[in-house]
Amino acid sequence: MDHEREFKLIREFLDGSESAFNEIVRNYQKTIYWHARKMLGNHIDADDVTQEVIIILYRKLSSFKFNSSLSTWIYRITSNKCINHIRSQKVRRFFSIDDDEANELRENSDLINDVENKEKLELLDNVLQKLPAKQREVFILRNYKELSYEEISEISGKSVGGLKANYFHALRKVMELMENEKS
Amino acid sequence: MKNREIILKYLSDLMSEKERSDLEKRLDEDDNLKSELLLFQNKMNLLQIDENAVDDRYFSSLIPKIREKLDEKVSRPMYKLIFPLSGVVTTLLIFLIGFNNTKDIKEFDNYLISEDEFEIFSDESVSFMIESELAFNNSIREISRSDGYIDNNLINKISTSDSEIEMMELPVVDDYYIYNEIASDDLEEIYSNINEIDFFEGG
């Protein structure tokens, strides 16, 4: 969807059109979900973050400044939510708040039905979850969304040089992990 | 530099324009480097998943779920207000009760008396009791005198211990009470004494 169409939908929503908001959600729900899914490594947490992000969109679209693209704005919100989620998970794990049942549910719930994609997703989770959150973020945005460093910089607020270094380390680690997985 | 590091730098866009063009030239000539880059890309492909091969029911149910949550959140502000408000009220109550308690304790402290004061008070109480008893005895004497029927000696015979016991529930002192309190032997003596008195002495 081009920017003009997106901006038109936002204005319509701000004027009270709920169907305009539904269209925005329909356009971005998969993007949000998959970004969260790759960042968090399971469907349950990705679902939580996806819903949170859409609710934020509903409440904060009025503060959207029409000088950046909606996708950049949505990625920024999703990334921040994911990183906050990872931090809170670390705290929960440290204090052993998460029980085994919840962890089992996380491992067993998923959207993908076909075997091949399921295996790929499992491999992807194993590899990505071993990367530090910041490296994971830049790896996902560059490798899967094919965003430029400038766009990623706008989303993450990091310098382009820092992002390149992060991506370099992320790539190296992914290669090592893939070799280990193979062996 | 190892081929792997060169490829990583190339893919991370960490090369200058010159380094990049040199590497691209090398890739045309160096089969090892080329195969290593291909291997690298193959590995990356293993991590590519088809994002559309998913259960679409999840995405079609997402908007209704969000709408539900949004409605919940709209109706929530009341709850949001109730909990902090009740917290504030409880804190205030605890503070006020606590404050009043300390005030009461301070006031109660003012009412407490020292040991010396207690001794004085107990002495006064005992002397008050003694005085009361004496007053009671005197009143009986006064009555007997005014009636002229009862001899002082007889009055003294009334057991003080009995009067002590009945001090707390002292009935109205009248003739009937006095007669009841006097033992029958004493009464006989009173009557005999009365009989012996010459009421018309000198008359």
Side-chain angles (χ1 to χ4, degrees), chain B residues 140 149-160 162 177-196:
Chain B
I140 290 175
Y149 289 109
I150 303 166
D151 193 325
N152 282 345
N153 292 327
L154 290 177
I155 297 299
N156 287 335
K157 283 181 184 172
I158 297 171
S159 158
T160 50
D162 287 345
Y177 171 75
I178 293 164
Y179 294 141
N180 272 341
E181 287 298 305
I182 300 168
S184 55
D185 292 343
D186 293 337
L187 272 174
E188 277 177 24
E189 202 180 337
I190 290 165
Y191 284 127
S192 62
N193 283 341
I194 290 168
N195 289 331
E196 281 170 21

Side-chain angles (χ1 to χ4, degrees), chain B residues 90-107:
Chain B
T90 314
T91 316
L92 269 173
L93 279 174
I94 290 167
F95 177 75
L96 286 173
I97 291 165
F99 179 73
N100 280 343
N101 272 347
T102 49
K103 198 179 169 185
D104 288 346
I105 290 164
K106 276 178 190 168
E107 280 176 6

Side-chain angles (χ1 to χ4, degrees), chain A residues 18 21-22 25-26 29-30 33-34 38 43 47 50-51 54-55 58-59 111-112 114 117 120-121 123-124 139 143-145 149 164 167-168 171-172 174-175 178-179, chain B residues 4-5 7-9 11-14 39-60 62-63 65-67 69-70 73-74:
Chain A
E18 294 292 319
F21 180 74
N22 288 351
V25 172
R26 270 193 293 272
Q29 57 187 7
K30 281 189 181 175
Y33 173 82
W34 279 110
K38 283 167 190 155
H43 169 68
D47 176 37
T50 305
Q51 292 189 35
I54 295 172
I55 288 169
Y58 188 85
R59 298 198 173 279
L111 287 187
I112 289 181
D114 71 296
N117 263 311
K120 274 188 173 182
L121 192 60
L123 176 70
L124 181 73
F139 182 82
N143 206 51
Y144 294 100
K145 306 297 168 190
Y149 282 122
K164 283 181 180 180
Y167 186 69
F168 174 85
L171 261 185
R172 184 154 65 183
V174 166
M175 284 303 126
M178 290 287 283
E179 278 159 19
Chain B
R4 167 177 285 205
E5 293 296 305
I7 292 166
L8 284 173
K9 260 186 102 176
L11 292 174
S12 306
D13 203 13
L14 281 168
L39 192 70
F40 207 97
Q41 281 165 343
N42 285 340
K43 279 181 189 168
M44 292 296 278
N45 284 339
L46 285 175
L47 295 175
Q48 295 291 339
I49 50 161
D50 183 3
E51 293 184 359
N52 291 315
V54 290
D55 188 349
D56 269 331
R57 281 174 299 178
Y58 168 73
F59 291 107
S60 55
L62 202 54
I63 291 175
K65 250 194 275 183
I66 300 290
R67 289 276 168 207
K69 279 198 173 181
L70 283 168
K73 289 202 172 182
V74 167

Side-chain angles (χ1 to χ4, degrees), chain B residues 133-145:
Chain B
E133 193 185 330
L134 287 172
F136 169 72
N137 288 340
N138 285 339
S139 67
I140 290 175
R141 280 191 198 102
E142 286 298 319
I143 291 161
S144 64
R145 268 188 211 122

Side-chain angles (χ1 to χ4, degrees), chain B residues 119-172:
Chain B
E119 265 179 38
I120 294 164
F121 175 73
S122 58
D123 286 349
E124 280 174 358
S125 303
V126 170
S127 59
F128 172 75
M129 284 170 73
I130 293 165
E131 277 170 17
S132 303
E133 193 185 330
L134 287 172
F136 169 72
N137 288 340
N138 285 339
S139 67
I140 290 175
R141 280 191 198 102
E142 286 298 319
I143 291 161
S144 64
R145 268 188 211 122
S146 63
D147 282 353
Y149 289 109
I150 303 166
D151 193 325
N152 282 345
N153 292 327
L154 290 177
I155 297 299
N156 287 335
K157 283 181 184 172
I158 297 171
S159 158
T160 50
S161 61
D162 287 345
S163 69
E164 264 175 22
I165 293 163
E166 292 183 18
M167 243 185 78
M168 299 303 287
E169 41 185 32
L170 190 65
V172 178

